[in-house]
Amino acid sequence: MTMTETAPNASGYKDFSVGGFTFSRDEYFVTVTWPTGSHQMDIVQWLRCVQRDVAWEFFYGIINFDEVIGTMNHYGNVDMFAGRFNEAYRRAEVDYNENFDHDELLGCFKAMLSDWTNEGYDPFAAPMETGSAYGTSQGDNDKAVTRKRVVAERMVSVPGDEPIRSDESGFPINRAFADVHQDEPVITAEPGYEDQVCSFSLYAYLSRSDVTWNPSVVSACKESLYCPTTEEFILPVIHGNDRVEWFVQLSDEIQWDVEDRDTGAKRARVVMKAGDVAAMPADIRHQGYAPKRSMLLVWENGSPRIPEMIANGEAPVRPVDF
Amino acid sequence: MPEQYTTVFGSLGQYEKGGVEVINDNPKHYAFSNMFEVASGAKPYEKVAVAKNLEYVLEVIRAEGTSEWRATPHDEFALVVDGSLEIELLDPTQPLVDQDASGSVGIDGEPAGSPMGRVQAGRGHMTLLPAGKAYRFHSDGVAVVLLQTIEGPDTVFRWADICQTV
Ligand SMILES: [Fe+2]
């Protein structure tokens, strides 16, 4: 099975096919077809979703692009589905699922993102910070769509690990964080211990993030990963968990819609303000809304054993019992 | 109107708490708490878990005065979310904790070893507490620390007290 692409259509965009799925775009929409159906989405929404799926390499669990289309990561291979987590599609038996090699689907998404993103549009940016994605094909923004997701091995700022951000390294302070203090901790290391006495300003680091809704690893305690991210406007994807996930709201406010992972039935709304901590159970899906750019610490357990542990009943669906 | 934003971080002295609005669920499933509220009700240097994922935990620590020395078998990370904190690091002469253990352990008195240095950390600063080393915290006032670690002998769990239940 391989990806195929066509010559540009009337709007100047190529069609892409992988397995039973075909993707085509026009000035406003993406059209997805598969053997039992078809679906359309706003191209802005589509590009913002595909961008996250590519940057995260399918992340943990399920990435719903909307209530119909999405991917489910099996860590090495990945499902692309239509209607799989939609009760009406399931009942009508028109849902569709296809398994792909990780690199194959990723390759298709990367090619699509490159061809379909116009000059001046950045799918990682908040809507007020970028140009339009609509219209006929115009140039590209490969510089933006191929940004590397930061993954620190130990901690940002540790010698040899991910560096802190500065004006000089191309990360100016974001307009919404202009009031965030930029002072760094005062470090006094004894001779010979310079590479072990390490500290940095996480808040200053996040104030200089040029992406939204893109959790990146800043510290790792074995498989415990701090994945903070800056959030503005709407999380483009509806994230379906395959494990318990935790949020620590470091600044400002995000409101979350929480739904049943499999049916989409509403379960709760979670309002998080600065200092709040909340878990998301392993059987939900969620989408966040941030009216002002905020700092969110997403805390993940990156253990590859977890989905199997949950399937076998060895890992809890709920974070804690009390 | 020109854009002008105020970033809200919250503090012991001033924080607002959100919450879970249930539609068809139990709020306990979200283990919803607030770091500043937990620190307000904690004893100095008590290690109160606010998040747990299998063996891993996040602990809120109310840093007030000087802590005991603690030795950690694995890397830990201390994020100051309020106040200012001094962190002293020490490279012990003898191992103070089994390297396969989880979480840090308290040490009686002054452990023998070489001083590694110190960090003066303010709000938003994150510090590595390296594996196999010892550390001690000090705050002239009250600071609040979020510690990324593994459940250890001194981790305190009191979910029913700190989490939204209805
Ligand atoms: Fe999520």
Side-chain angles (χ1 to χ4, degrees), chain B residues 21-122:
Chain B
E21 296 173 14
V22 164
I23 298 161
N24 181 20
D25 212 335
N26 182 338
K28 286 181 171 180
H29 296 169
Y30 298 85
F32 194 105
S33 69
N34 178 285
M35 296 188 284
F36 305 117
E37 188 176 76
V38 170
S40 297
K43 296 191 213 92
Y45 295 107
E46 204 174 20
K47 292 153 67 67
V48 184
V50 292
K52 182 179 191 307
N53 199 325
L54 301 177
E55 69 270 39
Y56 299 105
V57 291
L58 306 185
E59 297 168 348
V60 162
I61 297 168
R62 177 188 177 97
E64 189 174 10
T66 305
S67 77
E68 63 188 340
W69 281 98
R70 297 193 67 87
T72 180
H74 46 73
D75 286 348
E76 296 183 307
F77 302 91
L79 173 67
V80 176
V81 293
D82 191 21
S84 62
L85 181 76
E86 186 174 21
I87 301 167
E88 259 182 284
L89 294 171
L90 182 118
D91 188 4
T93 313
Q94 302 286 333
L96 296 171
V97 60
D98 179 351
Q99 64 170 13
D100 297 323
S102 291
S104 63
V105 294
I107 305 295
D108 285 333
E110 291 276 330
S114 316
M116 296 171 64
R118 57 187 66 213
V119 174
Q120 190 65 51

Side-chain angles (χ1 to χ4, degrees), chain A residues 200-221:
Chain A
F200 76 109
S201 174
L202 176 65
Y203 290 1
Y205 181 83
L206 293 175
S207 76
R208 294 172 179 275
S209 166
D210 64 349
V211 292
T212 63
W213 307 102
N214 189 35
S216 308
V217 180
V218 300
S219 63
C221 170

Side-chain angles (χ1 to χ4, degrees), chain A residues 51-52 55-56 124 148-150 211-216 227-231:
Chain A
Q51 178 68 81
R52 270 60 181 194
W56 306 338
F124 271 127
K148 187 174 76 78
R149 179 183 178 229
V150 173
V211 292
T212 63
W213 307 102
N214 189 35
S216 308
C227 311
T229 154
T230 51
E231 320 295 51

